[in-house]
Amino acid sequence: MRTSRRRSRLLGAAAAVLILSPLAVALPAAADPAQPDGVDCDAVAWMDESASAEDRAKALVDASTQHQIYRWLAEQPANAPQQTDFDGVAYPAQVPCTPEVVYTDGPDGVRFTEGVTAFPAPISLASTWNTDLAYEKGQMQAQESFDSGKNGVLGPGLASGRTPLSGRTPEYFGEDPVLTGQFTAASVDGLHEGDPRKPVLSDLKHYIANEQELDRETSSSNIEERAFHEIYALPFEIALADSEPSSVMCSYNQIGGVYGCENALLNEHLKGELDYDGYVVSDFGAVHSTAEALMNGLDQELNRPIHFTPEKLDAALAAGEVTQDRITSAATRVIAAYIRSGVFDTPLSETPSVATSAENKAVAREIAEQGSVLLKNDGMLPLDLAEGQSIAVFGPAAAVQSTEGVSASSVCSMAWAFGGGNTLTCEDLVAPLEALEAAAEDVGASVVYNPGTDLEAAADVAQSADVAIVFGHQRMGEFSDLDDLSLQDGGDALISAVAAVNDSTVVVLNTGSAVEMPWLDSVRGVFAGWLGGEQFGPAITALLTGEANPSGKLPMTFPRSLEDVPTQTEEQYPGVVDEAGIRQVDYSEGLEVGYRWYESQGIEPLFGFGYGLSYSEFEYSKVRVTPRRSNGEREMSVRFRLTNTSDVAGTEVAQVYVTLPDSSGEPSKRLIAFKRLELGAGEHQNVSVRLSAKDLATLRALQYWDEDVEGWVTPSGEFTVEVGGSIDADHSAEFVVR
Ligand code: BGC
């Protein structure tokens, strides 16, 4: 159902001044635990826990000098209240009874810290389609941050999956706004709703249209207004409706020619339309001005003060370029968010402790298990391990597991062959090879390992083995995009060489994004295990051997080839550098991002959105939709029967998609709801998914952004609901909205 795109307004207009910001690794602000002696914190108004966060923040601002107020406007002076010099930028000490705060990345877990859990990357978490796990991980991440002396978590991360080449794809939740919005909200809730004695700040990053790493600081994302709202802003809108992140981080890139951290979108969209009442913090070095940034809605500069120094703020105020109201509002937003999160009332412990635990590791393993997606099974899986059997294992990722990506997406890092990364190791990491060896030993089978660097030697080993398991990898993360969708370090050639001599070859992928699979027909099974964290070894072994039954589903489309992706032209990706040195990236695919593109263009992907196999088999039937109104709100129940037709108990992620009436101009169906359902062998369940327009994600899935009215509109006419185990769901029912 392809419809012609209307001429659309582009967001933003004004040209921005280009200032290149050097990027290094953000260091936590220097800590100084001391509060001035002799102050009774119970007696100061901003520590009155019975007052609202806003009143407490106001009381604090009222008790502050102008330069004490300025301290809240940059990370280091805000977070180290008694320190007075920041690389030559001087402040008075902060008013007493204000907390020390230490920021830390990020999406995966607590960064650059010994003794924490290396959770699987968020793309793996999203593949579980289990928001309870996102919530649990959030709670554990908060606890681990706090226990290791950090109480400001710069995460979760979210984006819209515009191109699978984007370096930070593993840090985000895939390509669907509803799935991403819900995983983001669950992560934020988890961060704030864990142990109240261990409070942390949370941060949604990066706002907005931060869809590539290539020239991320000197590129402009040029988006039509409708796609902006439906694709790029919607995950933020859902997350903000369903959770209360302390801050939102504005991104490096420009949007419509204006840098993210001085873009009118901050006031007009984020704080206006979305009614966000927390604070906006910049990405590291993403601020380019004082007055423009502050007046357009930036509240706090990350790291040390460069543009929000007392000197520059005083000058801007004297020149009438900024207002006192805006300065006060920025400080109040920061303070109120700190108070709401609990960091004012529960100080960091002076003696950080080991943060990880068996319980946290069990959740890391659960995510790796539920988040690994079985993409192909030609009857060979689960492996039937037996006495005397020989199993050949290939690839460096098997032996020294690639737990994570680069930079903000890393916690501990592997000391494996690819260089880069940090130097910490995951003490409790069990590589897949080790876990497979243990499983083989239990039944008297044997494992032989070959790194796969010499293809002939690998083929020799493969030839004499009963089963070959090849681990392919793609290491990716911050700072650069992928060049292509092939496996790194010769992984594709290794798989082909092994499969050519062993017709019982299974592939395990440790990647952060989609990959092409030129060898797919020659192998018997494929798992997408992502960057699966420290417990990936035991998790994938359990899945390969059938001790666990796969239930993961793809949160992003895997195209057959890079040529098929939505960004077809150079103007779309990577963009074209203009005379001013800005890479203009034209989001002309509009709404056709992710599966919406493949659906509308009729391009068959290698594996579609939502796809994933199980050792069980599921059948959908009797789909019915009953729309109704309850207290004036639109509601509907989607009912269907799910039958496990196999003799293995398993879990299916049932997905509900909705197609809007043609008049909406939507390119394809879209995800509206999903549910994980556990079914015993041969069991069936009559499932009812109740959807209410009171829930923002549901409401928006039934609407489109109308540029003429500049708002969301529910079209009238016939809607089709489809239910199934992937985007290819074909059990449908209709309902009409009048
Ligand atoms: C990243 C952010 C991160 C910040 C601080 C930047 O390079 O883009 O995601 O929070 O560094 O480490």
Side-chain angles (χ1 to χ4, degrees):
M1 191 201 31
R2 185 163 161 70
T3 44
S4 64
R5 223 179 280 136
R6 277 187 293 163
R7 239 187 74 72
S8 287
R9 264 190 301 273
L10 285 173
L11 283 166
V17 188
L18 169 68
I19 304 169
L20 286 172
S21 56
L23 183 85
V25 172
L27 296 172
D32 177 354
Q35 292 290 355
D37 286 339
V39 178
D40 177 6
C41 287
D42 288 338
V44 299
W46 55 95
M47 293 305 284
D48 175 4
E49 289 185 45
S50 67
S52 71
E54 286 65 29
D55 285 349
R56 290 173 66 181
K58 191 172 174 313
L60 199 163
V61 169
D62 288 347
S64 305
T65 64
Q66 181 75 354
H67 283 206
Q68 284 172 325
I69 294 174
Y70 287 164
R71 292 188 66 113
W72 299 104
L73 276 59
E75 174 196 342
Q76 290 189 357
N79 293 350
Q82 298 308 314
Q83 189 181 328
T84 52
D85 181 84
F86 299 89
D87 289 329
V89 180
Y91 292 83
Q94 188 53 284
V95 296
C97 312
T98 43
E100 263 180 66
V101 173
V102 180
Y103 285 175
T104 178
D105 279 310
D108 282 15
V110 189
R111 185 181 172 196
F112 292 155
T113 308
E114 299 283 0
V116 298
T117 311
F119 288 97
I123 192 78
S124 168
L125 184 56
S127 302
T128 67
W129 296 57
N130 184 349
T131 50
D132 290 348
L133 282 177
Y135 183 77
E136 274 185 80
K137 182 209 157 182
Q139 291 190 321
M140 290 172 172
Q141 196 178 342
Q143 169 256 309
E144 293 198 357
S145 295
F146 193 94
D147 284 346
S148 49
K150 295 159 184 172
N151 56 355
V153 175
L154 300 179
L158 64 158
S160 297
R162 180 173 182 257
T163 164
L165 295 176
S166 173
R168 297 184 88 165
T169 305
E171 285 185 67
Y172 306 136
F173 298 119
E175 68 189 23
D176 181 75
V178 167
L179 191 70
T180 293
Q182 294 189 352
F183 267 85
T184 306
S187 305
V188 171
D189 283 345
L191 286 168
H192 290 299
E193 293 172 10
D195 185 341
R197 292 163 308 169
K198 299 180 177 178
V200 298
L201 299 161
S202 61
D203 174 52
L204 295 195
K205 67 188 192 186
H206 313 82
Y207 180 89
I208 194 168
N210 186 200
E211 299 285 333
Q212 66 190 60
E213 288 301 285
L214 182 82
D215 287 347
R216 66 178 182 177
E217 293 174 63
T218 52
S219 60
S220 178
S221 307
N222 303 323
I223 316 173
E224 294 162 355
E225 186 184 316
R226 179 166 172 178
F228 172 82
H229 283 93
E230 293 187 22
I231 304 291
Y232 300 97
L234 185 54
F236 284 89
E237 192 184 3
I238 293 170
L240 292 175
D242 294 349
S243 69
E244 286 187 53
S246 316
S247 62
V248 171
M249 184 182 284
C250 50
S251 55
Y252 285 116
N253 54 288
Q254 302 182 352
I255 304 102
V258 182
Y259 281 107
C261 293
E262 59 189 42
N263 199 299
L265 286 168
L266 296 176
N267 280 337
E268 289 169 11
H269 178 255
L270 181 65
K271 293 179 175 178
E273 209 175 298
L274 304 191
D275 205 19
Y276 176 59
D277 65 356
Y279 67 99
V280 175
V281 63
S282 72
D283 204 337
F284 188 64
V287 188
H288 297 267
S289 60
T290 302
E292 283 91 334
L294 185 63
M295 293 312 288
N296 280 307
L298 177 67
D299 300 302
Q300 189 182 76
E301 185 171 18
L302 195 69
N303 207 253
R304 68 195 171 88
I306 295 173
H307 293 279
F308 283 9
T309 60
E311 194 188 349
K312 288 187 179 162
L313 290 166
D314 278 342
L317 196 56
E321 293 164 2
V322 303
T323 60
Q324 183 62 39
D325 273 2
R326 177 77 264 276
I327 290 169
T328 308
S329 133
T332 312
R333 278 175 174 268
V334 174
I335 300 164
Y338 281 26
I339 291 173
R340 271 196 295 271
S341 76
V343 301
F344 260 69
D345 301 320
T346 308
L348 275 172
S349 150
E350 282 174 33
T351 46
S353 53
V354 169
T356 188
S357 65
E359 201 190 345
N360 295 8
K361 287 176 186 300
V363 168
R365 169 158 175 182
E366 195 60 42
I367 297 170
E369 235 173 65
Q370 292 188 22
S372 293
V373 186
L374 179 59
L375 295 175
K376 174 171 181 176
N377 185 10
D378 204 354
M380 216 190 110
L381 294 169
L383 298 174
D384 194 9
L385 290 189
E387 196 174 349
Q389 204 178 38
S390 63
I391 301 160
V393 177
F394 302 89
V400 191
Q401 181 55 28
S402 58
T403 58
E404 294 170 311
V406 179
S407 193
S409 78
S410 65
V411 175
C412 57
S413 189
M414 51 292 171
W416 65 331
F418 318 102
N422 58 62
T423 54
L424 301 174
T425 51
C426 298
E427 305 101 86
D428 295 316
L429 184 149
V430 185
L433 180 59
E434 256 178 86
L436 281 163
E437 278 167 348
E441 203 184 297
D442 281 350
V443 296
S446 64
V447 172
V448 48
Y449 173 67
N450 181 288
T453 32
D454 175 340
L455 294 186
E456 266 178 50
D460 279 350
V461 173
Q463 205 152 24
S464 52
D466 296 318
V467 174
I469 307 175
V470 192
F471 285 73
H473 63 264
Q474 183 194 49
R475 188 167 190 248
M476 58 194 294
E478 218 184 315
F479 309 126
S480 58
D481 285 346
L482 294 171
D483 292 331
D484 53 41
L485 297 180
S486 51
L487 292 173
Q488 291 164 358
D489 303 305
D492 292 312
L494 174 62
I495 296 169
S496 298
V498 169
V501 295
N502 187 314
D503 58 12
S504 299
T505 298
V506 172
V507 171
V508 176
L509 298 170
N510 283 127
T511 70
S513 186
V515 282
E516 292 170 359
M517 301 183 198
W519 33 258
L520 185 62
D521 289 343
S522 64
V523 303
R524 305 273 307 274
V526 180
F527 265 108
W530 308 110
L531 303 170
E534 63 167 64
Q535 300 298 318
F536 182 68
I540 195 66
T541 300
L543 290 165
L544 285 166
T545 58
E547 185 194 318
N549 191 352
S551 60
K553 302 274 186 177
L554 292 179
M556 64 186 292
T557 307
F558 277 39
R560 288 186 180 275
S561 116
L562 189 54
E563 281 169 19
D564 288 346
V565 303
T567 48
Q568 294 271 304
T569 65
E570 195 191 339
E571 285 75 18
Q572 287 171 285
Y573 181 86
V576 178
V577 179
D578 68 13
E579 282 167 6
I582 299 293
R583 189 177 282 280
Q584 299 295 335
V585 187
D586 188 356
Y587 283 39
S588 58
E589 69 284 354
L591 301 172
E592 295 183 27
V593 172
Y595 63 82
R596 289 158 164 83
W597 162 258
Y598 297 89
E599 288 283 305
S600 103
Q601 300 285 328
I603 299 173
E604 203 188 318
L606 193 57
F607 297 107
F609 179 80
Y611 183 81
L613 300 170
S614 158
Y615 297 143
S616 311
E617 271 164 36
F618 298 102
E619 226 175 68
Y620 290 80
S621 58
K622 301 188 174 175
V623 175
R624 261 171 309 162
V625 186
T626 323
R628 60 172 165 266
R629 282 192 178 267
S630 155
N631 295 330
E633 290 290 346
R634 221 179 275 287
E635 275 191 6
M636 64 176 160
S637 12
V638 179
R639 276 175 291 172
F640 58 94
R641 174 172 287 192
L642 183 68
T643 309
N644 179 350
T645 56
S646 71
D647 54 9
V648 189
T651 300
E652 166 73 333
V653 180
Q655 300 156 42
V656 183
Y657 295 87
V658 62
T659 305
L660 272 53
D662 280 352
S663 62
S664 66
E666 284 301 317
S668 83
K669 59 175 123 169
R670 72 261 281 263
L671 182 74
I672 184 168
F674 52 92
K675 199 166 184 169
R676 281 179 65 88
L677 298 158
E678 278 176 43
L679 267 79
E683 197 191 325
H684 75 255
Q685 259 180 45
N686 293 322
V687 185
S688 171
V689 182
R690 243 180 107 181
L691 296 169
S692 162
K694 269 190 233 147
D695 170 56
L696 188 91
T698 304
L699 176 67
R700 292 290 183 252
L702 298 170
Q703 296 185 313
Y704 68 95
W705 180 267
D706 187 325
E707 290 189 346
D708 295 333
V709 302
E710 294 194 3
W712 292 94
V713 166
T714 308
S716 48
E718 191 172 274
F719 287 66
T720 305
V721 167
E722 286 168 76
V723 181
S726 78
I727 184 79
D728 283 333
D730 55 3
H731 294 269
S732 62
E734 279 82 36
F735 70 98
V736 175
V737 171
R738 286 177 229 285

